[in-house]
Amino acid sequence: MGDVVGKIREKFYGQIIEFEEKSERRIYIEFKPQDIPEAVKFVFRDLGCRFATATGTDTPQGIEILYHFSYDPRGEVVSLRALIPDRKNPQIQSIATIITGAEWIEREIWELLGVNFIGHPNLKHLLLIDDWPEGKHPLRHDHG
Amino acid sequence: MLLWPLSWLYWGYDMDLKTRALTKSLWAFHAATSPCNNCDIEVLDLFTPRHDVERFGITLVGSVRHADVLVVTGVPNYKTGERLKKLYGQAAKPCFVVAVGGCACGRILFQDSYNSPCPVDEIVPVDVYIPGCPPKPEAMIAGIMKLIKKVEGK
């Protein structure tokens, strides 16, 4: 168990909803969606982890977004998980203002899953054509 | 009398000088229209010492304006399909199109996908289909040889 995870647990004691250790080097930490920017800022800026990518999944409980951070010196991967239960109008604070590299993956999650990233500087289509019908999100299970 | 050493260019084969020059040096432009990169790796394998298609005069070029062959991999989506059409329009004719891989040949499992409107041959005319997922470099060499035979009219 690295000191990265220890520091996150220490800093966000009480804000962590669930802590899951799949293996020694693969850790999932669940936060409330509103706590994500603060946690990302801490992990990225203070702990110096590398932002690998973000992933979005449509689950029966809601839309789940995972922010994967890699701590390269020890080969650990820490994933911050946020579950957005509101499937009608899912929204979460954008982390593109903290990490510029997250801009494109947020655009992709926005167009494929319909998650509105609040505060994103340039939220427009990335993989789909510009005149893609609005409100049609191909990776949603109710897409049809 | 002076010209006789060159006359084989014209009379030895029943094709003109341009076609002969073309078949001896097919320059290829690699157009990756949203592939999974597996075919692309196999295409690049062709230029490594083991397969080395430069011995047939085939080489990759950086611009489609210099190309005789358009090597297409992947199933075009709405965005890359438009770009493939533009690429073919910019190529100097005659430009032959080679569809590499199952996706480019017929969309295989992406035919019901939300972002794949049509296979390659509905956008540009395809001369050679090389199926496989991914096709072996040997299969691609065989396909190119068939293309050369087709150009020669055999």
Side-chain angles (χ1 to χ4, degrees), chain B:
Chain B
M1 198 61 187
L2 260 176
L3 283 171
W4 79 263
L6 289 174
S7 61
W8 58 270
L9 284 174
Y10 290 94
W11 312 119
Y13 299 82
D14 51 348
M15 58 178 159
D16 59 1
L17 180 62
K18 272 196 280 187
T19 317
R20 190 176 149 71
L22 179 65
T23 54
K24 287 289 177 188
S25 63
L26 283 175
W27 282 11
F29 180 78
H30 180 190
T33 53
S34 53
C36 68
N37 286 14
N38 210 340
C39 290
D40 306 68
I41 293 164
E42 297 299 314
V43 167
L44 293 184
D45 258 4
L46 290 174
F47 299 92
T48 56
R50 194 181 181 97
H51 302 290
D52 193 22
V53 288
E54 285 210 29
R55 65 201 154 115
F56 308 123
I58 301 164
T59 187
L60 275 186
V61 289
S63 165
V64 73
R65 290 186 192 274
H66 300 160
D68 306 308
V69 179
L70 194 59
V71 178
V72 186
T73 56
V75 44
N77 61 28
Y78 287 104
K79 271 187 148 173
T80 54
E82 283 292 307
R83 281 149 180 83
L84 179 62
K85 205 186 277 178
K86 272 185 195 163
L87 273 179
Y88 187 74
Q90 287 171 354
K93 306 293 179 302
C95 180
F96 308 104
V97 181
V98 179
V100 173
C103 296
C105 291
R107 289 199 287 172
I108 45 173
L109 76 148
F110 296 106
Q111 53 187 326
D112 297 324
S113 165
Y114 56 89
N115 206 11
S116 71
C118 59
V120 170
D121 55 5
E122 285 179 25
I123 300 173
V124 291
V126 176
D127 293 283
V128 177
Y129 296 87
I130 305 170
C133 189
K136 290 179 85 166
E138 289 88 343
M140 292 186 202
I141 294 171
I144 300 290
M145 289 301 120
K146 278 181 183 163
L147 174 68
I148 289 174
K149 291 230 170 74
K150 186 181 171 183
V151 176
E152 286 173 345
K154 282 181 190 166

Side-chain angles (χ1 to χ4, degrees), chain A residues 90-138:
Chain A
Q91 50 186 16
I92 192 168
Q93 200 70 34
S94 169
I95 63 159
T97 47
I98 306 163
I99 307 166
T100 319
E103 206 176 290
W104 279 26
I105 191 68
E106 287 192 343
R107 276 167 70 182
E108 195 179 329
I109 294 174
W110 167 74
E111 68 181 356
L112 296 180
L113 284 169
V115 178
N116 184 22
F117 287 92
I118 304 160
H120 191 285
N122 185 25
L123 206 56
K124 60 180 188 186
H125 283 296
L126 177 69
L127 301 179
L128 304 177
I129 40 171
D130 289 330
D131 51 353
W132 187 263
E134 213 169 298
K136 206 176 161 191
H137 305 296

